[in-house]
Amino acid sequence: MSELQDLTAAVEKGNRKEATRLTQVLLDAGMPPLDIVESGLVPAMSNVGEKFKKNEVFVPEMLIAARAMKEAMAMIQPLLTAAGIKPKYTAVIGTVQGDLHDIGKNLVAMMLKGANFNVIDVGVNVAPEKFLAAAKENNAHLVGLSALLTTTMPAMKTTVDAFREAGVQTKIMIGGAPITQQFANEIGADGYSPDAASAVDLAQTLVA
Ligand code: B1M
């Protein structure tokens, strides 16, 4: 259906008006909401993610695309919920204790939603106990920690330690400008990704 391809293109371009119009056209035509998500919206964000990795688009374009995706998803979500269709995986994501930066974390959250994860965003300045409680409460498959300050990197270790000490083996991925794979290895995190697009790839690998 060409409207589906047009929807993918509209989201990729961040054209919110066109994305919501086409979503409505497809719904009115009787397309199952999940097909619209999986065949129209998710490919758009995958394309954006791939282009981001190749430096063909940058953070602003990715944010604009994610917003278009969010608006289309807002139309579809109630229908999925009513039909009892749930995303397969839940991720809890937040910025660690002491750190208030949330732009990158929000971008990762949006991209994960774009990949059909149920994302519980616990916000910024999040204490280890709060991550742990949210992960338990939501039966999370994955926890994502973000940090932008070198001074808050130790809070990532404290958070990973809190999970392991509590015997909770949820996969933990970390990211943020000062973070490296070496640091992830040192603190016992399950993975690191340098940007929002690869965060989705990593998340999918970790939960598979
Ligand atoms: Co702050 N800040 N800031 N700041 N700030 C930095 C980080 C800094 C590098 C600026 C500098 O000095 N050049 C510096 C840190 C230095 C250091 O630690 N080595 C710094 C500082 C010092 C501070 C304050 C201490 C300043 C002060 O008050 N004296 C203060 C700290 C407040 C606190 O957190 N307690 C502070 C405050 C702020 C603002 C509130 C003004 C604002 C934040 C607004 C907000 O987030 N709502 C702010 C901003 C905007 C920045 C810069 C300019 C931009 C950060 C950003 O949003 N980047 C930043 C300088 C810079 O980075 N150039 C800076 C865009 C974003 C898309 O990228 O977050 O890296 P990023 O996310 C990427 C990847 O890292 C990755 O994917 C994202 C998308 O590709 N990623 C993940 C991120 N999280 C991930 C999680 C994952 C996976 C990937 O898995 C879970």
Side-chain angles (χ1 to χ4, degrees), residues 60-118:
E61 287 96 327
M62 200 147 73
L63 278 172
I64 293 167
R67 278 194 202 119
M69 163 99 186
K70 199 173 162 191
E71 290 200 10
M73 273 307 289
M75 297 167 69
I76 292 173
Q77 195 65 59
L79 304 170
L80 294 178
T81 310
I85 296 167
K86 291 186 187 148
K88 216 167 156 190
Y89 299 112
T90 294
V92 165
I93 187 164
T95 305
V96 296
Q97 193 159 37
D99 203 320
L100 302 175
H101 296 84
D102 68 355
I103 297 169
K105 180 264 296 171
N106 292 346
L107 199 47
V108 174
M110 282 197 257
M111 293 295 284
L112 286 174
K113 280 184 193 162
N116 206 20
F117 273 74
N118 172 33

Side-chain angles (χ1 to χ4, degrees), residues 52 98-104 107-108 144-146 148-150 173-177 193-196 199:
F52 179 79
D99 203 320
L100 302 175
H101 296 84
D102 68 355
I103 297 169
L107 199 47
V108 174
L145 311 179
S146 181
L148 261 286
L149 299 171
T150 45
M173 60 186 267
I174 65 172
S193 82
D195 57 59

Side-chain angles (χ1 to χ4, degrees), residues 96-158:
V96 296
Q97 193 159 37
D99 203 320
L100 302 175
H101 296 84
D102 68 355
I103 297 169
K105 180 264 296 171
N106 292 346
L107 199 47
V108 174
M110 282 197 257
M111 293 295 284
L112 286 174
K113 280 184 193 162
N116 206 20
F117 273 74
N118 172 33
V119 178
I120 313 291
D121 188 340
V122 283
V124 295
N125 189 21
V126 180
E129 313 80 64
K130 190 170 169 187
F131 275 113
L132 189 55
K136 282 184 181 168
E137 198 179 308
N138 296 287
N139 291 321
H141 303 87
L142 181 72
V143 173
L145 311 179
S146 181
L148 261 286
L149 299 171
T150 45
T151 50
T152 56
M153 288 169 66
M156 287 185 150
K157 176 167 168 35
T158 321

